[in-house]
Amino acid sequence: MSDLSGKNLLITGAGNGLGHAMALHLAGCGAQLVIADIDEPALAALSEKIQAISGNTPLSVVLDVSSEEQWQAAASTIAQQLGYLTGLVNNAGIMLHVPFQEMTLEQFRQTLQVNVEGVFLGCQNCLPLLELGAKEAGSSSIVNISSIFGHVAGLMHSAYAASKGAVNMFSKSLANELPRQGLNIRTNTVHPGVMSAGVSIAGTQAAIDRGVFSSAEEAGQVLMMGNPYGRPGQPEEIPGAIAFLLSDASLLMNGAEITLDGGHTAVY
Ligand code: ADP
């Protein structure tokens, strides 16, 4: 496990799924957490679990990452309560499964607002806190959660794929721009592959109705085709890499991508 003692870390979308698994892992590594989500009951439940694991109370922030005002309020709360951040994990995201022909502009925009504008707003509003953290602790780390679908095409989630492609190049741009301005802030991306939850989503009735798959089982098989492990990832298999990127063991990593897909995208 990475040593994250002395780190103040903000995780967005911490209430459920990967964000929830990350929060538990990072708290176990000794970090002081700020957990943010739109799902207030999920945050309350997570806060209790973190206290039980670490004895440490996380700062809970109800936050819609696509809202500039809410980000400004969140940053000022964090400044008051913790003073600075040494890490930011932009994890909150949405994935709509809609065939391109049926996707509305509203759905496309909504995906980009949460998955791309949310990352932009997170980085920009937390930058002063991360700068302070870098002065305090030597360096700060931004981890943006992308996906293998920011590199390879999937089915029926073109808006999601477009959003993750944007996150990749946005992150590399910060990786170039921030250190050149003398800021000790690194920016990297993590790319989970097909996750256990994703298999069931892809096998929804919508996909089957449109003849893309004949059954949920077939959807799972098609998604796993070419994956050497032959199984989807579990949420608990992702946070170790994120902890590494947030720790001082990865100081030379900047503009890098860590793929966690069982070799799926390595196979032609
Ligand atoms: P995954 O399996 O990729 O983690 P989930 O849907 O399980 O996906 O988790 C995504 C998390 O992001 C949820 O807790 C959800 O409430 C949160 N979330 C979604 N949209 C927003 C948003 N606009 N602002 C903040 N959190 C969000």
Side-chain angles (χ1 to χ4, degrees), residues 139-226:
S139 83
S140 287
S141 173
I142 297 172
V143 180
N144 292 331
I145 306 303
S146 183
S147 164
I148 58 166
F149 296 119
H151 283 140
V152 298
L155 278 173
M156 306 219 303
H157 48 72
S158 52
Y160 179 82
S163 75
K164 293 304 184 182
V167 165
N168 296 348
M169 281 317 299
F170 174 70
S171 305
K172 286 182 194 293
S173 302
L174 293 198
N176 188 28
E177 203 168 319
L178 300 183
R180 284 185 195 278
Q181 291 174 21
L183 302 178
N184 285 323
I185 302 174
R186 322 181 270 122
T187 310
N188 297 289
T189 49
V190 169
H191 300 250
V194 175
M195 304 301 292
S196 48
V199 172
S200 57
I201 292 166
T204 54
Q205 204 55 45
I208 296 162
D209 287 349
R210 287 169 185 103
V212 179
F213 302 117
S214 62
S215 65
E217 195 186 15
E218 189 199 353
Q221 281 167 1
V222 170
L223 274 166
M224 281 300 107
M225 212 182 284

Side-chain angles (χ1 to χ4, degrees), residues 13-19 36-39 63-66 91-94 114 197:
N16 302 282
L18 290 184
D37 207 291
I38 40 171
D39 185 342
L63 166 70
D64 177 348
V65 293
S66 64
N91 162 73
I94 53 172
V114 177

